[in-house]
């Protein structure tokens, strides 16, 4: 065991503050990582405030981890000391169920081991990336392409894959019309990735405040959802709509913006059920679906795609001492477009 410093929430809704805990010594298949940067995902806030229920405290959030390998176990073959690596939302899974065998570990029939707010296979709580270092089995570690900076690549481990996976699954590419609802951490990656995949991309945002950014990120069109005309003008238009909104909104007007066979895909996680009318789905064979991050193989594919297309996140780097302030700003949609914690600030404190 080695003592590690981090920032934790000690209870739901209490601000995060300094916290020390133990990390295991690397086992034969483990990689020890010095964490350089960690993104702030809206899911960190949902969980630190126990908005989904069942949160485990103390909680060290953080599942958009980027760092450098400092030690490897004697059976590790994939990584060596000095490699640029990432860790996303989970650090283990059963490895035997049909989903794990297909590379869909996020849907593990037994249970994936969440990077934080989870329990490892020995039943100990897991602690995430708002900390100095982490020890992870090599099979759950990702390689960050050399041309991507570690800070801007950190959020790819969650925001990147959460949009890449549904874009690929629902065939975003040339000739497809894709809309992204919400230009936040996930949404801005959706715009960049859908554009790079060759789709026509539209942002549906609450206002036109971020329109210039949206176009710079790769959007072909940008509309305000506060304007009722948006819903008139875009009826039956899209093949795929991805909803990244973190709170409950009425999905029904958006479903009517889908073309025949179009899909409305939910990735944002509102805390309450949202009623959906049957007829707009029936009239147009439209579907409504959800999507959860992505498996290790697909996450690596996404990172390699980003390396090839020189795609990373638009970030605002903060010292860890500003994490509570950053949470408040995310809640006000005041983020351009991902906060990333520089963990050097923790080491100096
Ligand atoms: P974020 O940076 O806060 O972005 C959410 C965006 O939603 C905001 O920037 C805003 O965009 C829009 N929005 C916020 N409140 C709204 C409201 N009342 N009405 C309409 N639009 C609103 O959050 P994020 O980190 O991208 O995460 C988004 C959601 O995805 C969270 O619920 C998170 O837990 C979830 N998530 C899911 C997965 C998964 O695997 N499914 C993975 C990661 C995160 P505009 O200002 O442009 O309107
Ligand atoms: Zn996340
Ligand atoms: Zn499994």
């Amino acid at each position: 065991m080695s003592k590690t410093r981090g920032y934790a929430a000690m209870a739901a809704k209490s601000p995060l503050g300094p916290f020390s805990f133990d990390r295991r010594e690397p086992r034969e298949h483990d990689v020890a990582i010095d964490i350089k940067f960690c993104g702030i995902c809206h899911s960190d806030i949902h969980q630190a405030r126990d908005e989904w229920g069942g949160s485990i405290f103390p909680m060290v959030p953080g599942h958009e981890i980027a760092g450098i390998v400092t030690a490897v176990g004697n059976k590790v073959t994939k990584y060596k000391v000095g490699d640029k690596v990432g860790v996303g939302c989970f650090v283990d899974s059963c490895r035997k169920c049909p989903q794990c065998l297909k590379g869909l570990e996020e849907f593990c029939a037994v249970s994936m081991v969440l990077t934080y707010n989870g329990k490892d296979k020995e039943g100990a709580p897991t602690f995430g990336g708002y900390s100095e270092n982490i020890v992870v089995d090599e099979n759950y570690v990702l390689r960050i392409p050399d041309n991507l900076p570690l800070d801007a690549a950190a959020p790819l481990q969650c925001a990147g894959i959460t949009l890449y996976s549904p874009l690929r699954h629902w065939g975003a590419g040339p000739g497809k019309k894709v809309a992204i609802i919400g230009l936040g951490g996930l949404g801005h990656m959706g715009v960049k990735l859908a554009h790079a995949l060759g789709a026509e991309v539209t942002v549906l945002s609450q206002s036109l405040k971020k329109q210039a950014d949206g176009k710079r990120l790769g959007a072909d069109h940008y509309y305000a959802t506060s304007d009722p005309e948006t819903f008139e003008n875009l009826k039956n238009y899209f093949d795929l709509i991805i909803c990244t909104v973190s709170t409950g909104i009425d999905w029904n007007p958006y479903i009517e913006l889908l073309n025949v066979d179009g899909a409305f895909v939910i990735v944002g996680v509102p805390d309450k059920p949202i009623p959906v009318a049957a007829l707009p789905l029936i009239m147009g064979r439209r579907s409504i679906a959800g999507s959860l991050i992505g498996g290790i193989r697909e996450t690596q594919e996404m990172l390699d795609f980003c390396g090839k297309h020189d795609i990373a996140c638009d970030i605002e780097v903060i010292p860890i001492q500003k994490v509570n302030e950053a949470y408040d700003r995310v809640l006000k949609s005041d983020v351009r477009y991902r906060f990333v914690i520089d963990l050097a600030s923790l080491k100096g404190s």
Side-chain angles (χ1 to χ4, degrees), residues 72-327:
V72 293
N74 58 15
K75 292 211 172 135
V76 168
T77 57
K78 295 183 179 161
Y79 298 100
K80 60 179 190 325
V81 171
D83 283 353
K84 279 169 76 172
V85 293
V87 178
C89 297
F90 56 91
V91 288
D92 210 340
S93 64
C94 87
R95 309 177 189 213
K96 294 184 199 118
C97 75
Q99 307 310 334
C100 282
L101 294 177
K102 275 191 266 181
L104 296 171
E105 301 91 347
E106 73 276 30
F107 304 124
C108 173
V110 179
S111 174
M112 59 174 161
V113 175
L114 291 171
T115 303
Y116 71 88
N117 195 24
K119 295 259 174 82
D120 67 17
K121 286 180 172 166
E122 285 77 46
T126 54
F127 295 113
Y130 299 5
S131 62
E132 292 174 296
N133 53 52
I134 192 165
V135 178
V136 181
D137 184 291
E138 62 172 331
N139 293 303
Y140 295 80
V141 173
L142 301 148
R143 183 175 296 283
I144 294 182
D146 276 336
N147 60 317
L148 299 183
L150 273 184
D151 52 2
L156 295 175
Q157 328 303 312
C158 175
I161 185 59
T162 299
L163 272 291
Y164 183 82
S165 186
L167 286 168
R168 296 280 289 157
H169 186 80
W170 276 275
K176 294 283 172 153
K177 294 178 176 137
V178 174
I180 306 288
I181 312 178
L183 194 67
L186 266 54
H188 95 289
M189 285 316 301
V191 172
K192 289 191 185 203
L193 291 166
H195 176 72
L197 287 164
E200 182 195 295
V201 192
T202 299
V203 175
L204 301 174
S205 180
Q206 293 168 93
S207 74
L208 295 179
K209 270 193 287 193
K210 297 180 269 188
Q211 183 171 23
D213 283 352
K215 296 268 175 83
R216 173 179 57 79
L217 297 168
D220 300 284
H221 311 288
Y222 200 105
Y223 295 96
T225 54
S226 52
D227 180 355
E229 277 196 17
T230 295
F231 294 92
E232 280 309 310
N233 297 341
L234 296 174
K235 274 218 156 83
N236 309 319
Y237 189 76
F238 297 108
D239 300 296
L240 172 64
I241 300 178
I242 303 183
C243 181
T244 75
V245 177
S246 49
T247 186
I249 58 165
D250 183 5
W251 293 332
N252 291 286
Y254 294 93
I255 289 167
E256 300 203 26
L257 306 188
L258 289 169
N259 203 346
V260 172
D261 285 331
F264 181 85
V265 177
I266 303 151
V267 293
V269 191
D271 58 352
K272 293 197 180 64
I274 294 175
V276 171
L279 268 182
L281 294 172
I282 294 169
M283 307 295 290
R285 202 163 53 189
R286 296 156 166 150
S287 54
I288 180 163
S291 189
L292 175 68
I293 42 174
I296 294 293
R297 197 186 306 146
E298 193 177 41
T299 306
Q300 190 60 59
E301 179 188 306
M302 176 274 310
L303 286 166
D304 296 342
F305 179 87
C306 287
K308 192 165 151 218
H309 293 266
D310 219 6
I311 293 175
C313 305
D314 281 34
I315 56 167
E316 192 175 324
V317 177
I318 57 159
I320 198 154
Q321 293 77 7
K322 293 233 161 114
V323 67
N324 295 303
E325 221 172 283
Y327 275 23

